[in-house]
Amino acid sequence: LGNARVRFAPIVGSTVEAVTPMSRRISLRAREAGMVIVAAGDPGQTHLVKGYFSALADAGQTTVIYVWDILDGAGDRMHRIQGQETVQGEPDPAAPWNAVPAEVMERIGDRMMGELTAWLVAHPV
């Protein structure tokens, strides 16, 4: 991971309840990988990770769409990780996040951290 010092911005588009299990999983995976996570305002930050989420209820399922942008210190996008997960079951169209179990969000966190770690290894600071 080189000298990477990564900060995660607050997630956009999801509920706190849906994001919490994913955030815990990301923290765990970061520790396992030896990734240095820094707080906002840390002058040594080398990368900023921004996550954007949507949950769409349709035809007896909920689809979670996610995009993670990895930015450099100047705010320029260096890399993008994106994907989606589908949850079966009749969702509430007014509250689609209620149909998304913790396991799905943890899986998204695992996938993102695997891709982020691999990218940081391939592009050391």
Side-chain angles (χ1 to χ4, degrees):
L1 301 177
N3 295 318
R5 296 176 55 82
V6 180
R7 178 170 76 88
F8 285 84
I11 301 295
V12 175
S14 177
T15 64
V16 171
E17 295 80 13
V19 164
T20 298
M22 182 183 65
S23 296
R24 283 194 300 261
R25 186 59 65 98
I26 287 171
S27 294
L28 172 66
R29 296 294 179 235
R31 281 192 305 276
E32 290 174 351
M35 185 180 295
V36 177
I37 304 295
V38 299
D42 187 305
Q45 170 187 316
T46 59
H47 299 84
L48 174 63
V49 179
K50 291 185 171 184
Y52 307 95
F53 282 70
S54 295
L56 309 171
D58 186 42
Q61 65 184 23
T62 301
T63 302
V64 177
I65 300 168
Y66 58 90
V67 174
W68 298 92
D69 283 336
I70 295 85
L71 311 175
D72 65 13
D76 295 322
R77 186 173 73 205
M78 302 172 72
H79 187 63
R80 175 171 271 185
I81 299 166
Q82 59 191 8
Q84 65 183 41
E85 290 279 338
T86 301
V87 179
Q88 297 302 318
E90 197 58 46
D92 176 356
W97 283 108
N98 292 345
V100 180
E103 298 79 34
V104 168
M105 297 303 285
E106 289 169 345
R107 189 164 50 243
I108 292 170
D110 285 342
R111 184 174 300 132
M112 188 281 295
M113 285 302 293
E115 290 187 37
L116 176 60
T117 301
W119 185 81
L120 288 170
V121 167
H123 301 87
V125 176

